[in-house]
Amino acid sequence: MICSKPLPYWRRTTAVSTTTLILLLLTFPSAYGFRPPASHSRKPARRLIGADSHNHNIIIRAPELLRLSATTTTNNKVIKTDAEWKRDLSPDAYNVLRNSGTEPANTSPLNSIKATIDEGTFTCAGCNSPLFQASTKYESGTGWPSFHSPLDGRAVDLDVDFKLIVPRTEVRCATCDGHLGHVFDDGPKPSGKRYCLNGVALRFVRDGVDEELMEEVAERAAEVGGGVVVVKQPLSAVLPGAAFDGVVAALFLGTFVQRASGGELVGADAGFGAVFQFFPLVVGAFYAGGFLNKIAGAFVDEG
């Protein structure tokens, strides 16, 4: 029988931490919206002048057919039957807005809109309600139109989505309840949010095309007063993600504390092992920060 000495702590930590890191890397990107550009043969929709009720992935430059008639409007909510939505929306728009589908990455012509060049408003393709100003759009590298802040707290509603098992915060139009996309906590300043949306669920109306829309946007923007718009997330959307981050943080931090209290940390003369033994601490701190950020986001006031 051959007996061997137990592996030093840093080697055991390396093996366990490496396995855990691989699992996290496999699940984290798709769960939280970090996706590489999809390879596909579908060509991006061409830009059109004007609009019609069966093509919503467009950039509007002409005033005709800008507003869709709602079957029923109750308390500023647009309500239609499923048959009416199918009649008024293109198949792609219906799949996203009414069935919470996702368009392929890098297929929307709205990706070409630049905050530093283009002036206008992104509206809902289902009801034409103003959602985001062009100045809040930025290039996220995900292949979908991304924004850091909505027009105001009345533009969108947030809910929880478990379609990928790991909870995500869903973004819906506050007027017609159409699915737009998801919001993540990895956006730029000033909000730190990334509203990652489907282009087919949006329209872009350039300033000067629809005077009524411009007046409404100006009034609502004035109410915000130039401040950062942060929409309060419902607890149902925050708690699952916060719980996930909290559990991961507790596991990694607990492992590090247990090893440290047991005197199993190695000195600097161990080389790479001395550095890698702090990996659980770094990962634990990262997820602890995510936990605190989500909890804080559940109690902020809407902008």
Side-chain angles (χ1 to χ4, degrees), residues 19-281:
T19 303
T20 305
L21 176 61
I22 292 174
L23 293 175
L24 287 173
L25 289 176
L26 290 175
T27 58
F28 185 83
S30 61
Y32 286 88
F34 297 98
R35 303 179 184 178
S39 59
H40 50 79
S41 59
R42 177 179 174 179
K43 296 181 180 179
R46 61 186 177 88
R47 293 189 177 189
L48 300 178
I49 296 178
D52 59 65
S53 60
H54 291 287
N55 194 329
H56 298 282
N57 200 2
I58 58 178
I59 300 171
I60 298 177
R61 293 192 180 89
E64 59 266 32
L65 299 176
L66 290 181
R67 299 197 176 274
L68 297 177
S69 60
T71 301
T72 305
T73 303
T74 305
N75 296 327
N76 295 323
K77 297 286 186 179
V78 172
I79 302 173
K80 295 185 181 183
T81 65
D82 187 64
E84 289 169 332
W85 283 120
K86 287 183 177 180
R87 177 198 66 196
D88 293 337
L89 299 174
S90 68
D92 287 343
Y94 175 83
N95 179 52
V96 171
L97 286 165
R98 311 317 306 175
N99 290 333
S100 301
T102 301
E103 69 181 0
N106 301 301
T107 58
S108 174
L110 299 185
N111 284 328
S112 65
I113 300 297
K114 307 298 182 183
T116 56
I117 301 175
D118 301 286
E119 296 181 347
T121 303
F122 288 86
T123 65
C124 175
C127 64
N128 282 306
S129 295
L131 303 174
F132 296 84
Q133 293 180 287
S135 59
T136 65
K137 187 177 184 293
Y138 74 99
E139 178 54 55
S140 65
T142 60
W144 288 277
S146 300
F147 309 83
H148 62 70
S149 305
L151 175 60
D152 58 19
R154 295 177 289 150
V156 299
D157 288 332
L158 304 181
D159 202 352
V160 65
D161 175 2
F162 290 98
K163 287 188 175 181
L164 295 181
I165 301 178
V166 177
R168 298 179 297 170
T169 302
E170 180 186 15
V171 183
R172 307 189 73 89
C173 173
T175 302
C176 69
D177 198 39
H179 172 80
L180 301 173
H182 296 85
V183 60
F184 305 94
D185 295 321
D186 57 6
K189 295 181 179 180
S191 70
K193 301 292 184 180
R194 170 169 60 93
Y195 287 82
C196 188
L197 309 182
N198 293 277
V200 74
L202 305 171
R203 283 175 165 162
F204 179 65
V205 184
R206 296 189 182 278
D207 284 352
V209 171
D210 187 336
E211 296 296 334
E212 183 181 346
L213 175 65
M214 288 183 63
E215 291 179 3
E216 179 181 354
V217 170
E219 290 176 0
R220 291 170 62 172
E223 292 177 1
V224 176
V228 179
V229 178
V230 179
V231 181
K232 184 176 181 180
Q233 295 178 275
L235 286 177
S236 60
V238 174
L239 292 181
F244 175 83
D245 288 352
V247 169
V248 174
L251 289 175
F252 277 91
L253 292 177
T255 298
F256 179 80
V257 170
Q258 180 181 4
R259 300 300 183 185
S261 60
E264 297 187 46
L265 298 183
V266 297
D269 56 346
F272 178 73
V275 176
F276 200 80
Q277 66 184 343
F278 291 98
F279 175 77
L281 177 63

